[in-house]
Amino acid sequence: MDFIRLASLDTVPQVLRGAYVAIGNFDGVHRGHQTVLRTLKARAEEAGVPAMVLTFEPHPRDVFAPAPFMFRLTDGDAKARLVEAFGLDAIAVLNFDREFSQIEAEDFVSRFLVDAVGVTGVIVGSDFHFGRQRRGTPTFLKAAGEAQGFAVETLDLMDEGDEVISSSRIRAALSEGAVAAANRLLGYHWFFEGCVVKGDQRGRELGYPTANTHTRASFQLAQGVYAVRARLGHRLLDGVAAFGKPMFNNQRPPFETHLFDFDEDIYGQTISVALVAHIRGQEVFSGLDELIAAMDRDSQKAREALAAARPISELDARLGFVPPTDRHPRA
């Protein structure tokens, strides 16, 4: 069936009734999360029912913090794209606010899992909690499943090196410019999207026009230069991007992407950008000539990195930023 995205569970399509469901925040949908989704897919296929992800936006930490502060790896749209590419049937992205946080764990189970979906089974990570005062532990969920007739499976987090694969570990890697490490932990090339807005036009004056997207205060990617691949509609475009403007106004800088061999007016359009490689950190140059020379070097390095890029996983290939071959449509 076609992939289904729900914004609530008030009216669940009949085709999703009896689904096997994985529940969690899934920020990043990283390789640890993917072990949960892989198990979900297998259990749903065994039972002959749909496989659905149940997640929440915004992240609970942003709801209870004085102001949004988390460097989010994936918003609801990105999570939906990843879940669909993973080959699952549906995602429900429920609005999380203070009122939602006060739902009792028992009510969460009866209202969302039993009444709304009629779940066949539920899969969660070992660190998952839900309901008021986080009373809904995996142990609680297991007992509820036994009482109400659905299976419950709890999975441990995946390890790599001395640490579990976690969203916080990936955030830390990106905040240091360690793109290769972050992408390895994610199992795909990290991407984000935004609306193209007008900047100060300085890049065009320097011979490097850019597609600029605003960044949130919580966007903590290391300032520097990156090899990127962008999706604009159905087209894939290679480019080099800069985050941070140390020689100019560096307060809340946009993410500036120079698309190679491209000259179109795309203001107001949505662009998705995947990080392929980190080229260098931000530097301050003695003048514009030195800056332009550095940009020339950055562009060459970015082209080389993009030519050498290969999918990290089957999921990465399905996302389409880095196809299995170097052949992809260009402008």
Side-chain angles (χ1 to χ4, degrees):
M1 64 181 180
D2 292 336
F3 184 76
I4 297 173
R5 177 175 174 177
L6 302 175
S8 77
L9 293 177
D10 293 340
T11 305
V12 175
Q14 187 63 34
V15 70
L16 293 180
R17 291 286 302 177
Y20 231 101
V21 177
I23 313 174
N25 288 309
F26 298 116
D27 188 32
V29 194
H30 55 62
R31 284 170 45 216
H33 297 143
Q34 290 164 36
T35 61
V36 175
L37 302 188
R38 195 170 294 110
T39 302
L40 168 67
K41 190 174 183 179
R43 299 292 180 267
E45 288 175 353
E46 291 167 2
V49 298
M52 181 169 73
V53 168
L54 175 57
T55 190
F56 314 95
E57 289 292 332
H59 195 285
R61 292 185 187 177
D62 273 348
V63 171
F64 291 105
F69 72 99
M70 276 195 67
F71 176 18
R72 294 297 309 281
L73 299 173
T74 46
D75 60 13
D77 291 337
K79 283 193 269 190
R81 181 186 293 186
L82 284 155
V83 168
E84 181 177 11
F86 203 83
L88 305 182
D89 298 304
I91 187 171
V93 184
L94 304 190
N95 180 60
F96 188 92
D97 55 21
R98 288 179 180 271
E99 181 180 355
F100 187 93
S101 74
Q102 295 304 304
I103 296 174
E104 295 290 349
E106 295 86 354
D107 293 340
F108 181 97
V109 171
S110 61
R111 177 179 169 186
F112 297 116
L113 303 184
V114 177
D115 295 341
V117 182
V119 294
T120 295
V122 175
I123 299 174
V124 295
S126 59
D127 60 345
F128 178 69
H129 292 73
F130 64 96
R132 190 168 73 89
Q133 298 179 340
R134 292 167 55 86
R135 287 182 50 246
T137 63
T139 300
F140 173 94
L141 188 59
K142 180 74 171 178
E146 291 173 352
Q148 302 203 48
F150 59 87
V152 174
E153 191 168 349
T154 303
L155 301 180
D156 292 330
L157 297 177
M158 186 177 184
D159 291 335
E160 178 167 289
D162 297 329
E163 300 178 85
V164 297
I165 296 178
S166 66
S167 302
S168 58
R169 185 180 177 190
I170 296 165
R171 292 186 196 104
L174 289 172
S175 69
E176 296 169 359
V179 170
N183 289 345
R184 185 185 70 251
L185 295 170
L186 287 166
Y188 62 88
H189 289 79
W190 183 64
F191 65 92
F192 61 94
E193 70 176 29
C195 180
V196 178
V197 298
K198 280 196 174 184
D200 54 23
Q201 307 293 302
R202 189 172 284 110
R204 185 171 295 277
E205 295 172 1
L206 299 176
Y208 282 90
T210 57
N212 296 351
T213 54
H214 283 314
T215 59
R216 299 177 179 179
S218 57
F219 190 79
Q220 295 172 9
L221 178 69
Q223 294 195 6
V225 179
Y226 298 87
V228 300
R229 185 159 286 149
R231 178 181 283 112
L232 184 66
H234 296 293
R235 293 180 291 177
L236 288 179
L237 304 163
D238 289 350
V240 62
F243 180 52
K245 302 165 77 74
M247 294 179 65
F248 307 102
N249 179 10
N250 204 31
Q251 298 298 314
R252 290 287 304 279
F255 191 89
E256 303 176 281
T257 302
H258 171 67
L259 301 170
F260 298 141
D261 310 313
F262 183 86
D263 187 18
E264 296 179 22
D265 183 347
I266 57 173
Y267 294 126
Q269 296 188 42
T270 297
I271 189 171
S272 299
V273 181
L275 301 190
V276 174
H278 180 257
I279 303 298
R280 63 172 173 84
Q282 281 291 12
E283 300 177 31
V284 176
F285 299 97
S286 59
L288 295 184
D289 289 342
E290 188 177 341
L291 172 60
I292 293 171
M295 294 165 72
D296 291 341
R297 293 191 298 272
D298 296 338
S299 295
Q300 182 58 36
K301 290 178 180 178
R303 289 181 186 272
E304 292 170 359
L306 289 159
R310 296 294 181 270
I312 298 171
S313 65
E314 183 178 346
L315 171 62
D316 197 29
R318 287 179 178 173
L319 288 169
F321 288 105
V322 185
T325 70
D326 187 47
R327 297 177 184 175
H328 57 267
R330 299 173 186 272

